[in-house]
């Protein structure tokens, strides 16, 4: 369940028993946006969906039921972007969509992507620096490549391997990761010439 701690011995307390009883709500994938904690959990009715908490039982609530039913949209890859949280969520057909949320149900909406483009589901790497959200995206023309969302537009960051060949490893067991260090995105990619090596980006195509 969801707990909190002031950092002292014995100071950890449960915030809310989301799935009442001995069952687990599987609260995880945390991201803080100001005083609000975003995470995913299930109360046993709506499946695993987007939740928020202000650290109190009454302030720990379901934000949006993106996939009605008891399975849920399985949101993940949370990162702060300005005053919102950005994440991916599935539709149950093996496809994922990019979402943004201000912590309200009406303010939880899908991010528009170019036709035929989608985030790489489940295991794709992602990272955020508060101003940009980086994720692995795919379309037929470019394969699996690094993409970026700046709060206005989601677009291909760089076609590291020109054409439909992917530069990012598509093996879900590889679990490549993005990381932002000092405002610079660092990631692993294979340009087809040097093998998989470390790449960097300032958030622009020419700067990748």
């Amino acid at each position: 369940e969801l707990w909190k701690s002031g950092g002292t011995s014995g100071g950890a307390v449960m915030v809310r028993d989301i799935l009442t009883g001995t069952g687990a709500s599987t609260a995880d994938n945390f991201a803080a946006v100001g005083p609000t904690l975003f995470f995913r959990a299930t109360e046993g009715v709506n499946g695993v969906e987007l939740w928020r908490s202000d650290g109190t039982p009454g302030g720990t609530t379901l934000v949006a039921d993106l996939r009605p039913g008891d399975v849920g949209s399985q949101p993940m890859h949370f990162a702060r972007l300005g005053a919102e949280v950005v994440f991916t969520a599935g539709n149950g057909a093996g496809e994922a969509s990019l979402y943004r949320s201000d912590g309200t149900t009406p303010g939880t909406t899908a991010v528009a992507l170019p036709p035929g483009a989608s985030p790489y589901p489940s295991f794709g790497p992602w990272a955020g620096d508060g101003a940009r959200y980086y994720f692995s995206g795919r379309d037929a023309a470019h394969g699996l490549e690094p993409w970026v969302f700046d709060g206005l537009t989601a677009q291909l960051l760089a076609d590291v391997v020109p054409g439909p060949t992917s530069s990012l490893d598509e093996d879900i067991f590889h679990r490549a990761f993005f990381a932002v260090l000092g405002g610079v995105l660092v990631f692993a990619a294979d340009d087809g010439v040097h093998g998989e090596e470390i790449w960097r980006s300032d958030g622009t195509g020419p700067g990748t």
Side-chain angles (χ1 to χ4, degrees):
E1 293 297 346
L2 182 67
W3 286 61
K4 66 180 180 181
S5 173
T8 61
S9 177
V13 295
M14 186 168 65
V15 176
R16 176 180 168 183
D17 188 11
I18 296 173
L19 180 57
T20 56
T22 58
S25 68
T26 64
D28 61 12
N29 279 251
F30 304 110
V33 179
T36 301
L37 178 72
F38 289 91
F39 61 101
R40 68 178 190 175
T42 178
E43 83 286 57
V45 176
N46 295 294
V48 178
E49 292 289 357
L50 177 67
W51 283 66
R52 60 171 291 168
S53 179
D54 63 2
T56 68
T60 302
T61 58
L62 175 70
V63 176
D65 186 13
L66 298 175
R67 183 188 171 195
D70 60 1
V71 176
S73 65
Q74 304 289 328
M76 62 181 66
H77 305 159
F78 293 89
R80 180 182 69 84
L81 183 65
E84 298 181 320
V85 67
V86 179
F87 60 97
T88 63
N91 62 6
E95 299 175 353
S97 297
L98 191 66
Y99 286 86
R100 64 193 303 171
S101 178
D102 63 3
T104 68
T105 302
T108 303
T109 58
V111 174
L113 296 176
S118 66
Y120 191 55
S122 301
F123 294 102
W126 84 100
D129 61 6
R132 297 184 182 92
Y133 181 87
Y134 299 99
F135 63 100
S136 55
R138 116 173 13 261
D139 62 21
H142 305 99
L144 188 65
E145 297 286 352
W147 284 59
V148 61
F149 175 49
D150 62 4
L152 297 174
T153 305
Q155 60 188 354
L156 178 72
L157 175 60
D159 192 13
V160 176
V161 180
T165 300
S166 301
S167 72
L168 302 180
D169 196 324
E170 300 192 40
D171 183 353
I172 64 173
F173 298 105
H174 185 259
R175 301 300 300 273
F177 287 91
F178 290 175
V180 178
L181 306 172
V184 176
L185 172 69
V186 180
F187 63 100
D190 183 347
D191 63 1
V193 177
H194 302 94
E196 188 176 55
E197 296 290 355
I198 300 175
W199 285 65
R200 59 177 289 157
S201 178
D202 63 2
T204 68
T208 303

